Amino acid sequence: MNAIISAPELANELAGANPPVLLDVRWQLSTAAAAGAAPFDGRAEYTAGHLPGAVFVDLDRELASAPGGRGRHPLPDVEEFGAAMRRAGVSSGRPVVVYDGGQGWAAARAWWLLRWTGHPNVRVLDGGLPAWEAPLSTDVPVPAEGDFAPEPGALGATGPAGMLDADGAAALARSGLLLDARAGERYRGEVEPIDRVGGHIPGAVSAPTTDNVAADGRFLPAEELRARFKGLGAGEDGEVGVYCGSGVSGAHEVLALAVAGIPAALYVGSWSEWSSDPGRPVAMGPDPQ
């Protein structure tokens, strides 16, 4: 199963006998609120226009639990997540397509969570809302209750359903390949606009997820992604893990790896969890160590 779907392919499937459930997960990482600016309002964007039949999903409230010691976007309570997905019409026997405003990070977070909890058929709209050329809708659907029952780890401990904790990420940085999906300047510790300290997990390799897409927000071709990740050290049999700031852009990199055919696990707590513990080591500069 492909991890992404193009807008023309999605239009064809929506007109078919078993159309996918559509989830709109518009969200943006923004530091503007710290300066007093109004935060991005994904629900307002959804209300102004969305793919016909799509249901809005709130990343901060339904795809994460409250920020704290486990990071800014820790895993949601599994039962609450399942209830939110059922309200959105998600069932195990029906495909799901997720999209966001174009960056792809929020959609990838929903994709990863649904995969981690056992949904067998989830894809992300490549390029997000800007790739959709048909008319939008302002009608807010009330879908029939779905039957999705989340089973964490049901699809295995590795691959796009895999998850790492802090100790697992530290170990993988030594034994396999741990990729840091944040911007290079945050990896190097030159700037840190959000978390307690800058830098990276010792042994992690810098791999900004923004380099996985073209200027239009669509993923690079699979062969180009495969070449990129192999150049970073992803071998045929070695384990690969990804982290970011809080488990959102890292999910996007896991998605890019899936497009390339490379299984990878996500450290959900990511740098926001790691850096909050003064006992965890921090590496600075361009060198992984």
Side-chain angles (χ1 to χ4, degrees), residues 122-152:
V122 190
R123 289 162 294 171
V124 169
L125 175 58
D126 193 19
L129 189 66
W132 184 258
E133 297 181 353
L136 300 179
S137 173
T138 56
D139 294 337
V140 178
V142 181
E145 183 89 358
D147 65 11
F148 179 63
E151 297 182 47

Side-chain angles (χ1 to χ4, degrees), residues 22-248:
L22 288 178
L23 303 182
D24 182 312
V25 196
R26 271 179 276 183
W27 171 91
Q28 287 182 10
L29 173 66
S30 174
T31 58
F40 176 82
D41 189 339
R43 188 175 292 277
E45 295 289 323
Y46 166 83
T47 302
H50 50 265
L51 269 63
V55 177
F56 180 72
V57 173
D58 190 313
L59 185 148
D60 290 316
R61 292 176 174 84
E62 296 174 317
L63 304 182
S65 55
R70 295 185 298 130
R72 284 194 308 279
H73 290 104
L75 286 174
D77 176 85
V78 172
E79 292 307 315
E80 292 180 5
F81 171 69
M85 293 299 98
R86 290 190 293 274
R87 286 195 301 271
V90 174
S91 294
S92 294
R94 187 177 172 191
V96 176
V97 172
V98 191
Y99 72 91
D100 58 23
Q103 189 177 41
W105 296 5
R109 170 74 176 215
W111 167 83
W112 182 85
L113 267 171
L114 281 163
R115 294 291 288 154
W116 176 67
T117 53
H119 198 289
N121 191 343
V122 190
R123 289 162 294 171
V124 169
L125 175 58
D126 193 19
L129 189 66
W132 184 258
E133 297 181 353
L136 300 179
S137 173
T138 56
D139 294 337
V140 178
V142 181
E145 183 89 358
D147 65 11
F148 179 63
E151 297 182 47
L155 299 180
T158 59
M163 184 178 70
L164 296 168
D165 60 12
D167 290 339
L172 185 57
R174 298 188 297 269
S175 66
L177 177 64
L178 182 65
L179 298 175
D180 185 317
R182 298 172 300 158
E185 58 268 25
R186 292 184 69 190
Y187 169 89
R188 295 186 296 270
E190 296 165 0
V191 298
E192 181 44 64
I194 306 173
D195 293 312
R196 188 181 65 87
V197 295
H200 58 270
I201 296 173
V205 174
S206 180
T209 200
T210 50
D211 291 347
N212 294 319
V213 297
D216 62 2
R218 291 178 173 89
F219 280 105
L220 299 175
E223 60 272 19
E224 291 185 27
L225 291 172
R226 195 173 301 116
R228 181 196 184 209
F229 291 123
K230 286 189 175 181
L232 292 168
E236 295 296 330
D237 301 316
E239 293 185 16
V240 179
V242 181
Y243 75 97
C244 58
S246 65
V248 179

Side-chain angles (χ1 to χ4, degrees), residues 240-271:
V240 179
V242 181
Y243 75 97
C244 58
S246 65
V248 179
S249 65
H252 186 265
E253 184 126 296
V254 173
L255 177 59
L257 283 152
V259 172
I262 301 171
L266 177 66
Y267 171 27
V268 178
S270 285
W271 189 248

